[in-house]
Amino acid sequence: MTRLYTAAAAPLLCTLAVLFKTSLSADHVPMLLWSTQRSLWNPDIALHEGHVVSAQELTVLLQHIFTQDSRNLILFLQDTLSIDDFTYLSEAYDNKNPFQNVQEILQSSASSLVLPAVDCKATRHLLSFLQESGNWKLTNLTDHDVSQLEVNTSKPNLMVVQLQPLFSSNEVSILEAIAENDKIIGRLTTDLQERGIHFSVVYTAVRPSRIMHISRRTDVMGKLRRQLMATEEEDSLSYPPLNVTTGNDTCILFYASNFSLQANNSVFIDLTNATFVTVNVTTTSSECSDVNTTLSLKYTKPVNGISSLEIRFLMTNKFYEGSARNWSTLDSVEIIQDEENTAKFNVSVISAPAEYSFHCQLVGTSNLYPVRLIPFNDEAKNWDVFISRLQIQGFNIENNQFSYASDCTGFFSPGIWMGLVTSVLFLWILTYGIHMIMQLTTNSRFDDPKAPGLSVPQTE
């Protein structure tokens, strides 16, 4: 059954195990909520089986947080999370529960709620909704150090914790990353409780991770495979890509499921909604040609304290003699704040054949991302960039659609290399064996019992 559960009803893992089978059919993620105050949510509220909580329904549920006496809210945001994370990982590692702190906190909290299925559209814009719902003092915890955290309880506080991403294909690494995120949640909530501060917590993710688990169960290294995405995949996007046109022709296409920045480790700027949904962005300064293309995204007052923000993606199209073809590359990314300070980043390994688009699951300034934005000047060191599911194309666009995508992961994973080496070894052994068999000879003369004994000289 897909219901709203409180921690008092049953242990967390048992509840999520029952919900697992009904959670794979839609684009949704679980959401865990708890608070130090009692009776925050009505445990008798129930939804019909298979129901996915919409953005409007989630708004109603979160109103209880906004109306409580002590308005301190912590948002733990992960890149991926699914019911499968709770069931599969806990069952596979009985002696190492990666959600130990979360489970204990839910069971001991004065009020808690588990939403097994929340529409990803709601969680994707959750931070923007929270910021607009009240006069919060926003605090972004990037280094996860809670020892120096100061909380002024006289004002409403919104603390946003971006947990480390779970993009590794190694199951043990994923387990360790989830366990580390669980420790971060435990440290922060324990520290606030020891100070006597009342608060509420929302723990969720931007998108589900069910594909990752299916890959594990079929022994497929899904995250390391080379993926050429056809244009029909774009039909499943939650919103269309941003397009820049010259006349009647589209010259740039840009898409991301999450497009966020952080300035000076304090100001968090979510540009996803403004870029793709409401399209509160100006692209008139973009430039297109057969050789150089610049995607210019200009925003007016994206957050308090910044009057204007421009982000530039500079791409080139060159002919390379080694491959005898043209390749498009994203050479650099520039962030211009208030038309004065320019932060420039060099880009690693974003290239594709000129007829293709480029796709990568995670792009940003983090060392953990497969494609990094490397600070080129001192101003760039003040910015952090987070882009999820990036797809961009600046040349040879046809029918206003992305071409096949060249993915940032390579053709050859460690498993493929091991298979190739093993195959070559067995092939060499087989070839040697056949060669030795072909060297065998049979007798050309035979002994006749009626004739004298056969004598074969040693020279023969």
Side-chain angles (χ1 to χ4, degrees), residues 422-450:
T422 305
S423 299
V424 170
L425 178 61
F426 280 118
L427 182 61
W428 180 84
I429 295 174
L430 177 63
T431 303
Y432 180 77
I434 294 175
H435 174 74
M436 295 301 295
I437 292 175
M438 293 178 65
Q439 301 303 313
L440 297 177
T441 59
T442 58
N443 294 330
S444 58
R445 297 182 236 173
F446 299 92
D447 194 10
D448 187 354
K450 298 181 180 179

Side-chain angles (χ1 to χ4, degrees), residues 66 100 160 442:
F66 306 147
Q100 180 177 355
V160 180
T442 58

Side-chain angles (χ1 to χ4, degrees), residues 346-412:
N346 290 331
V347 184
S348 65
V349 296
I350 289 190
S351 62
E355 301 81 11
Y356 288 179
S357 63
F358 178 84
H359 171 269
C360 195
Q361 197 71 14
L362 291 170
V363 176
T365 52
S366 172
N367 293 328
L368 301 176
Y369 287 3
V371 173
R372 282 198 63 207
L373 301 183
I374 305 170
F376 178 77
N377 54 14
D378 292 336
E379 185 66 27
K381 298 177 181 178
N382 299 326
W383 290 89
D384 291 314
V385 182
F386 312 97
I387 306 177
S388 300
R389 199 179 170 192
L390 168 72
Q391 189 163 3
I392 189 169
Q393 185 173 355
F395 305 96
N396 303 313
I397 298 175
E398 298 180 358
N399 301 322
N400 196 27
Q401 292 180 329
F402 279 118
S403 302
Y404 285 104
S406 177
D407 203 82
C408 59
T409 55
F411 277 111
F412 294 99

Side-chain angles (χ1 to χ4, degrees), residues 27-140:
D27 189 15
H28 56 254
V29 295
M31 179 178 290
L32 312 181
L33 306 96
W34 64 87
S35 176
T36 57
Q37 299 189 19
R38 293 185 177 277
S39 304
L40 206 58
W41 295 282
N42 184 2
D44 296 329
I45 297 177
L47 302 176
H48 63 79
E49 184 175 356
H51 181 81
V52 178
V53 178
S54 65
Q56 184 177 3
E57 293 169 335
L58 182 62
T59 301
V60 176
L61 291 170
L62 294 178
Q63 289 300 322
H64 296 285
I65 296 177
F66 306 147
T67 57
Q68 62 179 326
D69 296 334
S70 178
R71 292 179 59 190
N72 297 311
L73 178 61
I74 309 173
L75 173 61
F76 291 105
L77 195 59
Q78 204 162 273
D79 61 336
T80 60
L81 187 67
S82 294
I83 293 296
D84 202 7
D85 289 311
F86 296 95
T87 56
Y88 175 78
L89 293 178
S90 298
E91 292 172 358
Y93 301 89
D94 296 330
N95 59 342
K96 189 177 182 181
N97 183 4
F99 295 99
Q100 180 177 355
N101 289 311
V102 172
Q103 180 179 355
E104 293 176 355
I105 292 171
L106 275 174
Q107 294 177 345
S108 61
S109 296
S111 180
S112 61
L113 185 66
V114 175
L115 302 176
V118 178
D119 193 342
C120 283
K121 294 180 181 179
T123 60
R124 193 173 292 124
H125 307 298
L126 178 60
L127 180 58
S128 300
F129 165 73
L130 293 175
Q131 289 178 289
E132 296 171 357
S133 62
N135 187 23
W136 300 94
K137 177 188 176 183
L138 180 63
T139 303
N140 288 280

Side-chain angles (χ1 to χ4, degrees), residues 49-317:
E49 184 175 356
H51 181 81
V52 178
V53 178
S54 65
Q56 184 177 3
E57 293 169 335
L58 182 62
T59 301
V60 176
L61 291 170
L62 294 178
Q63 289 300 322
H64 296 285
I65 296 177
F66 306 147
T67 57
Q68 62 179 326
D69 296 334
S70 178
R71 292 179 59 190
N72 297 311
L73 178 61
I74 309 173
L75 173 61
F76 291 105
L77 195 59
Q78 204 162 273
D79 61 336
T80 60
L81 187 67
S82 294
I83 293 296
D84 202 7
D85 289 311
F86 296 95
T87 56
Y88 175 78
L89 293 178
S90 298
E91 292 172 358
Y93 301 89
D94 296 330
N95 59 342
K96 189 177 182 181
N97 183 4
F99 295 99
Q100 180 177 355
N101 289 311
V102 172
Q103 180 179 355
E104 293 176 355
I105 292 171
L106 275 174
Q107 294 177 345
S108 61
S109 296
S111 180
S112 61
L113 185 66
V114 175
L115 302 176
V118 178
D119 193 342
C120 283
K121 294 180 181 179
T123 60
R124 193 173 292 124
H125 307 298
L126 178 60
L127 180 58
S128 300
F129 165 73
L130 293 175
Q131 289 178 289
E132 296 171 357
S133 62
N135 187 23
W136 300 94
K137 177 188 176 183
L138 180 63
T139 303
N140 288 280
L141 299 177
T142 55
D143 56 0
H144 304 146
D145 183 13
V146 299
S147 60
Q148 304 298 326
L149 178 63
E150 296 182 1
V151 180
N152 184 2
T153 56
S154 62
K155 298 180 180 180
N157 295 277
L158 173 58
M159 290 163 276
V160 180
V161 182
Q162 293 280 352
L163 300 174
Q164 63 178 338
L166 313 178
F167 63 82
S168 173
S169 64
N170 188 326
E171 187 172 339
V172 178
S173 299
I174 294 173
L175 183 74
E176 293 174 351
I178 292 179
E180 182 61 30
N181 290 341
D182 181 70
K183 292 178 183 178
I184 294 171
I185 296 174
R187 285 199 303 265
L188 180 56
T189 54
T190 301
D191 180 77
L192 294 179
Q193 285 179 328
E194 291 176 350
R195 300 189 202 180
I197 299 175
H198 291 284
F199 59 90
S200 299
V201 175
V202 177
Y203 175 32
T204 187
V206 178
R207 63 184 183 277
S209 56
R210 60 181 179 273
I211 296 178
M212 176 180 62
H213 294 291
I214 293 173
S215 299
R216 280 204 299 265
R217 289 178 176 180
T218 57
D219 294 329
V220 177
M221 306 281 287
K223 287 295 181 181
L224 293 179
R225 73 184 185 276
R226 175 78 168 188
Q227 182 183 12
L228 295 178
M229 301 188 308
T231 54
E232 54 264 22
E233 182 179 334
E234 297 300 320
D235 297 335
S236 64
L237 301 180
S238 57
Y239 40 74
L242 178 71
N243 65 78
V244 177
T245 59
T246 54
N248 296 326
D249 299 326
T250 299
C251 62
I252 304 175
L253 286 174
F254 174 64
Y255 175 84
S257 62
N258 177 47
F259 184 28
S260 306
L261 308 175
Q262 189 168 28
N264 301 316
N265 292 327
S266 59
V267 181
F268 186 81
I269 310 171
D270 189 350
L271 301 175
T272 311
N273 188 65
T275 306
F276 304 104
V277 182
T278 60
V279 195
N280 293 327
V281 59
T282 303
T283 61
T284 53
S285 297
S286 300
E287 300 176 357
C288 296
S289 72
D290 294 335
V291 178
N292 297 298
T293 295
T294 300
L295 171 61
S296 174
L297 306 174
K298 290 185 177 180
Y299 306 87
T300 302
K301 293 183 178 180
V303 292
N304 294 331
I306 298 179
S307 59
S308 67
L309 187 67
E310 181 181 5
I311 303 174
R312 295 176 181 172
F313 296 83
L314 287 77
M315 296 170 280
T316 59
N317 181 13

